[in-house]
């Protein structure tokens, strides 16, 4: 579990700023955030994570890689599949 104010928390804030900066240019719609404790579990091309935010055409997804490193990136909404907790194979640190 990541505690507020930890180095991991700072890494996540920087990752979010970077993701917002490289947002896909073909979508100028409003970005809406999911509540921190209500983020949907998703799978995008075999990567399991959580949806952080969405626009009309994209979703912002967070995930941990095999080494436990945090990632945040945009995916086209058509590639994002919601999964049940039983189906989800993501990292426990999210």
């Amino acid at each position: 579990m990541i505690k507020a104010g930890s180095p991991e928390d700072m890494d996540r804030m920087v990752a979010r700023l970077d993701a917002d900066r490289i947002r896909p240019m073909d979508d100028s719609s409003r970005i809406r955030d999911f509540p921190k404790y209500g983020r949907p579990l998703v799978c995008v091309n075999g990567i399991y994570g959580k949806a952080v935010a969405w626009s009309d055409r994209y979703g912002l997804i967070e995930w941990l890689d095999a080494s436990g490193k945090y990632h945040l990136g945009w995916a086209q909404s058509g590639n994002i599949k919601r999964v049940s907790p039983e189906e989800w194979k993501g990292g426990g640190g999210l």
Side-chain angles (χ1 to χ4, degrees):
M1 170 154 253
I2 295 178
K3 296 179 180 176
S6 69
E8 293 88 0
D9 197 34
M10 181 62 81
D11 290 344
R12 287 180 181 210
M13 289 187 326
V14 170
R16 176 63 190 259
L17 291 171
D18 289 344
D20 287 344
R21 188 174 38 81
I22 60 168
R23 179 180 175 198
M25 298 301 289
D26 64 340
D27 183 12
S28 61
S29 63
R30 185 173 78 111
I31 297 173
R32 297 167 295 270
D33 289 345
F34 286 104
K36 184 174 183 175
Y37 296 105
R39 294 178 175 163
L41 303 174
V42 297
C43 181
V44 181
N45 298 326
I47 296 173
Y48 290 85
K50 292 183 180 179
V52 175
W54 79 98
S55 68
D56 289 346
R57 297 172 61 187
Y58 293 90
L60 184 60
I61 310 301
E62 65 177 358
W63 73 95
L64 299 175
D65 65 19
S67 69
K69 184 176 179 194
Y70 180 78
H71 297 274
L72 194 63
W74 291 98
Q76 290 183 329
S77 58
N79 293 331
I80 302 169
K81 178 186 174 215
R82 281 194 184 207
V83 294
S84 70
E86 296 78 30
E87 296 173 294
W88 197 67
K89 300 173 186 159
L94 290 179

